[in-house]
C-alpha cells in the first residue's frame, strides 16, 4: 500500500541554525523558511536526490511540535511521510486492521497542498507516520 518515502520531518528549536547545518555542513540544497501558520510551524524543505527532509520550527503560541521539543531539547525526528495512491482507501484499510488514525479521520491539506493523515505512533513502531496522497 505505501509507496515512496516523501519526507522525513525533523523538529528543531532554531530553524535558521538547523538550515545552516544542512546547507553549510552537509552541503544540501535548502529552501528559504516557509511559514505555515495554519499548521503552527515554520518549515524549510531540503531536497535530496531521492527524498526530502523537512525542518519544523514552532510558530505561534500553541504549536503542535511544542511538546515534542519539550521532550527532545536538541530536536529530533518528528515523523516520516509515505505516499499512497488513494488516501481514503489507505485510511479504510488501516482502520479495518485496527490502526488508529489521528484527529477526525478525515484527510487535511498538508504542507504540500495535498491531503494528509497522521497515524498513531503506538501502532507503527513508535513512529508518527504521515500519509500523503501522491
Ligand atoms: Co510532514
Amino acid at each position: 500500500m505505501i509507496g515512496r518515502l516523501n519526507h522525513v520531518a525533523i523538529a528543531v528549536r532554531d530553524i535558521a541554525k538547523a538550515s545552516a547545518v544542512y546547507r553549510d555542513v552537509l552541503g544540501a540544497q535548502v529552501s528559504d523558511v516557509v511559514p505555515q501558520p495554519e499548521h503552527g510551524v515554520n518549515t524549510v524543505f531540503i531536497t535530496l536526490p531521492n527524498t526530502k527532509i523537512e525542518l519544523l520550527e514552532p510558530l505561534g503560541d500553541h504549536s503542535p511540535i511544542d511538546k515534542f521539543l519539550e521532550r527532545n531539547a536538541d530536536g529530533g525526528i518528528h515523523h516520516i511521510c509515505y505516499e499512497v495512491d488513494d488516501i481514503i482507501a489507505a485510511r479504510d484499510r488501516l482502520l479495518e486492521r485496527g490502526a488508529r488514525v489521528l484527529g477526525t479521520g478525515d484527510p487535511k491539506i498538508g504542507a504540500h497542498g495535498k491531503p494528509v493523515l497522521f497515524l498513531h505512533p503506538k501502532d507503527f513502531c513508535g513512529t508518527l507516520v504521515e500519509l500523503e496522497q501522491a
Side-chain angles (χ1 to χ4, degrees), residues 7 54 79 130:
H7 61 271
E54 290 184 9
H79 66 267
E130 179 180 19

Side-chain angles (χ1 to χ4, degrees), residues 20-120:
V21 168
Y22 268 85
R23 188 183 53 237
D24 303 334
V25 181
L26 292 173
Q29 189 190 318
V30 172
S31 79
D32 290 334
V33 177
V34 182
Q36 312 237 10
E38 67 281 14
H39 295 292
V41 291
N42 286 321
T43 50
V44 160
F45 302 106
I46 298 165
T47 308
L48 304 181
N50 62 340
T51 191
K52 287 172 285 192
I53 304 293
E54 290 184 9
L55 303 177
L56 308 174
E57 175 191 63
L59 172 63
D61 288 338
H62 302 288
S63 173
I65 63 171
D66 282 342
K67 274 213 178 95
F68 182 90
L69 285 169
E70 272 168 35
R71 291 193 305 266
N72 301 274
D74 297 324
I77 295 179
H78 182 263
H79 66 267
I80 56 178
C81 177
Y82 301 120
E83 295 178 3
V84 292
D85 289 332
D86 180 337
I87 200 160
I88 299 298
R91 176 198 63 193
D92 293 347
R93 176 194 162 104
L94 288 161
L95 291 174
E96 258 171 45
R97 286 162 174 75
R100 284 166 285 184
V101 176
L102 300 184
T104 62
D106 291 322
K108 288 191 177 151
I109 298 303
H112 308 112
K114 293 181 175 174
V116 302
L117 284 171
F118 284 90
L119 310 178
H120 201 297

